[in-house]
Amino acid sequence: MCGIVGYIGAKNCVPILIEGLKRLEYRGYDSAGLGLINSDHCEVIKNKGKVAELEKLVHQKNIQSSLGIGHTRWATHGEPSVINAHPHVNKEKTLFLIHNGIIENYLSLKKGLEVEGYQFVSETDTEVLAHLIDHYLKLKNSLFHAVRYALNEVEGTYGIAVIYNGEKDKIVVAKKGSPLVIGIGENENYIASDVTALIAYTKQVVYLEDGEIAEITANSFKTKTILDEDIIKEINQVEVGIDDITKGGYPHFMLKEIMDQPGSIFNSMRGRLVFDEGISKLGGLQGFEERILNSRRIIISACGTSWHAGLVGEYMLEQYTGIPTEVDYASEFRYRNPIITKDDTVIFISQSGETADTLAALKEAKKKGALCLGVCNVVGSSIARESHAGVYIHAGPEIGVASTKAFTAQLVVFSLITLLIARSKSLSLQQGQEIICEMQNLTKKIETILKQNEIIEKIAEQYVDSKNFLYLGRGYNFPVALEGALKLKEISYIHAEGYPAAEMKHGPIALIDDNMPVVFIATKDYTYDKVVSNIQEVRARKGRILAIISEDDDQIEKMVDHVIRVPQTHSMLMPILTVIPLQLLAYHIAVKKGLNVDQPRNLAKSVTVE
Ligand code: M6R
């Protein structure tokens, strides 16, 4: 993962780099560093821990510079430590390099460099790149071409930025498999892993593609491929504003993003519902409708929370379109030689649009001739650009590591795709209109749930000391059980499992005693009576039960310890409502345990390594 940022211009870059790193900290936060080059000296400052620690160190030193790069790390090769933190440097400490990705052939490159007398101090794969570029620089190449030659020897993924004391007027950046964006300013330019680090300064950006390299000065940028072919890049206008990436008065991004959901799901459906025809209109799929409708099969591929959204999507698509649909973990899909044909449509879901496994799965499906659709949040992200067509979820920037508003927006987009296909199949106008009406009412219904925040906080108090949790649901609420369990474990470090409620009797029931909280998602649908029986089974074994139930339910409250009520909606839309109390529950438990909910240990927002 890792976040990278850089500046060249007339200003002092130190606060710009620190601010940028703070915005990129969601990508990794185990160590951080800056590399600065001045007219009279150059310096690297690194620290273990968060960017705030680095900031203190930098303040003590009171340095200024108008050329610099910064990095926040998520360790892959080598433990989090000052030595392993970036930037990495050449022997003379005149060349500084930051890297996001993995150099897969670093051991063989390292051996070759050691033979030449290069010495290594860190355990990282990245250090190899610093020395390899140094090697080509010493062959009298310019920095740009030294980086280019070095990258031609590299296998793996990278987003890199390099500065060199011998060429103080430039930053050289390159990309393969890890994102890299150039921010265009006036007599100053920026680079970063993503636009959130830049938007306080510029809205004009250039996205590098895989295999591209750029030389950036204060007034210009030139781009080529690493094979030295000229390319012309388009300048894009970013729509995200600074308000979208601040906490807006909330104590955590996660809470802000949970509370944002009435607005984010509204944005994800805005302008896309055509009531008169009971259908959705998705500009990003225009021209591909026939191929989608005639698909022999739909495959959905994703990771983590996005995979859970895909599972709900499978239920929707199979129920309403009649097209066989399956969901696959991207990490499994990419390596097991899946049987894919040109008659298949594969939908890749990713909030960040940068998840390495999902991106690799997409490339595999594309190679096999399938129609590849991207469902992403981050505009211009790798998965969005690599797909044949797609739909943005428009949830707005999601910064908390635990995905919340992206999940509900992904479900909205699956509802829209389902409507689009199903109306051309057997869904009647009236059924289409019913779904649209329910979608339009979601915003208000979500607000009703969010108003219960304090009640949920009180319930959370009762469960803070629990060591394990089971989450159970059936039908559309089974993926919600998985998602509720994932939310809890990733931010509160409490072990939690999600199961289809009926599976409980095939094993997990053995775990139930008076110490085991069981969260049931038990809203009224075709599985209701069965779930009530499952609740009785847990009750008979003295399990502690928290149930998410329908607003008008008068049965379950008597059987369980706590209930949270949610309004009823169309069954396929229920997960958009039932997941919200579970997001709040996980949030409050984690806060009460004193944990950092926005940056949970070992995790990063955007998983750009396999
Ligand atoms: O950006 P993506 O949607 O591709 O990310 C996939 C997972 O890494 C992500 O959903 C992860 O599971 C979240 N931390 C869950 O909250």
Side-chain angles (χ1 to χ4, degrees), residues 304-306 308 471 481-491 496 498 586:
T305 288
S306 296
H308 297 155
Y471 283 69
L482 296 179
E483 177 58 10
L486 177 63
K487 284 297 83 93
L488 186 72
K489 65 186 141 194
E490 72 179 326
I491 59 169

Side-chain angles (χ1 to χ4, degrees), residues 303-306 349-353 355 401-403 486-487 490 607:
C303 304
T305 288
S306 296
I349 321 165
S350 175
Q351 185 288 129
S352 61
T355 299
V401 164
S403 188
L486 177 63
K487 284 297 83 93
E490 72 179 326
V607 185

Side-chain angles (χ1 to χ4, degrees), residues 428-487:
S428 68
L429 172 65
Q430 193 196 338
Q431 287 173 311
Q433 288 179 331
E434 273 166 24
I435 294 174
I436 291 181
C437 270
E438 287 300 329
M439 288 181 78
Q440 287 166 334
N441 286 331
L442 282 173
T443 304
K444 283 211 177 74
K445 293 185 178 178
I446 292 176
E447 278 163 4
T448 323
I449 301 171
L450 294 174
K451 280 193 192 130
Q452 298 181 69
N453 183 31
E454 283 178 20
I455 299 173
I456 298 172
E457 185 179 355
K458 290 219 170 70
I459 294 175
E461 252 163 41
Q462 317 274 320
Y463 293 93
V464 177
D465 297 323
S466 302
K467 301 280 178 269
N468 295 288
F469 267 79
L470 258 184
Y471 283 69
L472 301 175
R474 294 183 84 150
Y476 281 108
N477 281 325
F478 160 54
V480 176
L482 296 179
E483 177 58 10
L486 177 63
K487 284 297 83 93

Side-chain angles (χ1 to χ4, degrees), residues 149-160:
Y149 286 128
L151 292 179
N152 275 295
E153 291 191 31
V154 160
E155 284 163 24
T157 55
Y158 51 79
I160 57 164

Side-chain angles (χ1 to χ4, degrees), residues 82-268:
V82 175
I83 296 243
N84 290 333
H86 300 212
H88 288 280
V89 301
N90 61 350
K91 184 170 158 222
E92 293 79 17
K93 298 195 173 57
T94 51
L95 178 142
F96 305 156
L97 174 139
I98 50 176
H99 169 221
N100 170 29
I102 292 183
I103 308 302
E104 286 166 5
N105 58 340
Y106 81 104
L107 283 175
S108 61
L109 292 171
K110 186 173 175 180
K111 268 192 203 140
L113 288 162
E114 278 171 341
V115 170
E116 278 187 46
Y118 282 94
Q119 287 178 352
F120 288 77
V121 292
S122 78
E123 302 155 277
T124 66
D125 52 331
T126 301
E127 195 185 355
V128 148
L129 266 182
H131 294 310
L132 192 59
I133 295 168
D134 179 83
H135 158 88
Y136 281 109
L137 261 176
K138 296 206 163 113
L139 296 177
K140 305 255 181 295
N141 283 298
S142 65
L143 179 64
F144 183 79
H145 289 291
V147 173
R148 205 175 59 69
Y149 286 128
L151 292 179
N152 275 295
E153 291 191 31
V154 160
E155 284 163 24
T157 55
Y158 51 79
I160 57 164
V162 195
I163 54 176
Y164 172 48
N165 197 31
E167 297 181 39
K168 295 178 205 268
D169 61 339
K170 66 189 62 135
I171 307 178
V172 175
V173 293
K175 170 191 179 328
K176 184 181 162 209
S178 301
L180 210 137
V181 59
I182 305 170
I184 311 295
E186 268 186 40
N187 300 323
E188 59 184 10
N189 285 316
Y190 305 79
I191 63 102
S193 296
D194 79 46
V195 295
T196 53
L198 310 178
I199 52 175
Y201 315 105
T202 179
K203 297 247 163 152
Q204 299 210 300
V205 299
V206 173
Y207 295 102
L208 280 200
E209 297 291 345
D210 282 356
E212 293 180 354
I213 178 169
E215 178 181 281
I216 298 141
T217 68
N219 302 302
S220 67
F221 69 94
K222 101 175 169 201
T223 44
K224 279 189 179 261
T225 68
I226 62 163
L227 301 175
D228 210 23
E229 299 144 337
D230 288 325
I231 36 170
I232 297 180
K233 300 293 293 180
E234 177 192 336
I235 298 182
N236 300 272
Q237 190 73 19
V238 178
E239 279 170 23
V240 174
I242 196 81
D243 287 350
D244 295 321
I245 57 163
T246 53
K247 288 186 196 151
Y250 287 99
H252 299 100
F253 280 110
M254 182 178 177
L255 185 59
K256 180 192 177 211
E257 287 156 9
I258 294 172
M259 294 295 175
D260 260 0
Q261 287 176 106
S264 56
I265 65 129
F266 176 76
N267 286 336
S268 60

